[in-house]
Amino acid sequence: LGAARARFAITAIDACASTSTLLLERSAQGASSGSVIVCDHQTAGRGSRGRQWSAAPDASLTFSLLWDFDRGLADMAGLSLGVGLAVVRALDSCGAAGATLKWPNDILYRDAKLGGILVELSGDDETTRAVIGIGLNLKLPELDPVATPMMMPVAALAGMVTPLPDRHYLLGTLLVELAAVFDAFSAEGFAAVRDAWQACHAWQGRKVRVLRDGVTVLEGRCCGADSDGALLVDGDGRIERCLSGDVSLRPA
Ligand code: ATP
């Protein structure tokens, strides 16, 4: 389906342990591509590598989306980066400009963590099913209500109005941006959005330490991502590829 014709089936619930866990269960029971679960209160949200995602009720947007791709599992690298790009674009078109990304799955606002992305993939050589979880903090002290236009979603981000209707507005915008990124990704993989992603990468050009299992394995300067979404780090003239799921980035 083209982005303009994408269809979503949205289920809104008060509370659950994890929207992604629930959607994975629904996937096993026959849920179709475009299924969305959005939840007011997630009690056991999951981050990457078994980490927790805690979301304050009424101060966050928490949802998961199921999407089928006509691409084999091996060609899906970098999807979580593309999802991050869609989030930045959606925030921007809701009037909340200035969000950036930290490889591989963090959304930042002025260096504070505005949100996280969890992509869980299953499939074979031909097709892939993605369950994509997104958690956004909609009240951060760093969000300055004076510096941003007074559109409704921004007012919600700044904690100035009841956030509920605005969360729904943001969700709708996000789904449209996600569908556009999925279209590009289906055609060409991460390479289709790499330049746009790099333009949003807060740590581009920055000196970093790369940690594996908590131990620094490399120091160097972030110099982009390759067409598979692997981070490229220049350690004294030698470019190393870092794979998501394997390492963490910290400032040097
Ligand atoms: P890495 O730096 O290794 O890439 P991470 O710490 O960013 O990983 P994620 O899986 O992206 O890990 O996110 C989970 C982490 O985010 C948790 O361990 C916790 O430290 C933090 N976290 C949990 N809930 C929130 C929240 N609502 N807002 C900001 N940060 C959160």
Side-chain angles (χ1 to χ4, degrees), residues 56-204:
D58 295 332
S60 45
L61 171 63
T62 308
F63 72 98
S64 295
L65 161 65
L66 189 158
W67 200 263
D68 288 332
F69 291 85
D70 286 331
R71 289 177 79 80
L73 203 44
D75 297 324
M76 294 300 296
L79 181 61
S80 72
L81 282 65
V83 170
L85 176 65
V87 174
V88 169
R89 285 176 172 170
L91 288 166
D92 194 45
S93 68
C94 286
T100 56
L101 299 168
K102 178 194 159 211
W103 183 92
N105 65 340
D106 287 352
I107 300 134
L108 306 180
Y109 189 85
R110 295 191 192 156
D111 276 343
K113 192 154 161 175
L114 178 63
I117 295 160
L118 178 68
V119 172
E120 295 175 290
L121 302 175
S122 58
D124 53 29
D125 290 347
E126 313 253 301
T127 61
T128 301
R129 172 159 279 199
V131 171
I132 297 159
I134 298 178
L136 296 175
N137 299 315
L138 298 186
K139 289 181 185 169
L140 278 183
E142 291 80 0
L143 285 163
D144 177 358
V146 179
T148 44
M150 289 298 293
M151 286 176 65
M152 286 293 277
V154 178
L157 283 166
M160 296 174 66
V161 296
T162 310
L164 199 60
D166 309 303
R167 278 189 296 178
H168 292 167
Y169 183 90
L170 180 57
L171 174 62
T173 309
L174 247 164
L175 293 176
V176 170
E177 294 292 350
L178 282 165
V181 165
F182 294 163
D183 254 11
F185 204 95
S186 294
E188 287 177 61
F190 176 68
V193 294
R194 178 174 58 172
D195 290 350
W197 179 85
Q198 284 185 173
C200 297
H201 190 217
W203 288 32
Q204 194 77 3

Side-chain angles (χ1 to χ4, degrees), residues 48-49 51-54 102 105-106 113 137 248 250:
S48 58
R49 286 173 275 178
R51 293 181 176 130
Q52 285 190 340
W53 184 261
S54 32
K102 178 194 159 211
N105 65 340
D106 287 352
K113 192 154 161 175
N137 299 315
S248 300
R250 296 291 177 267

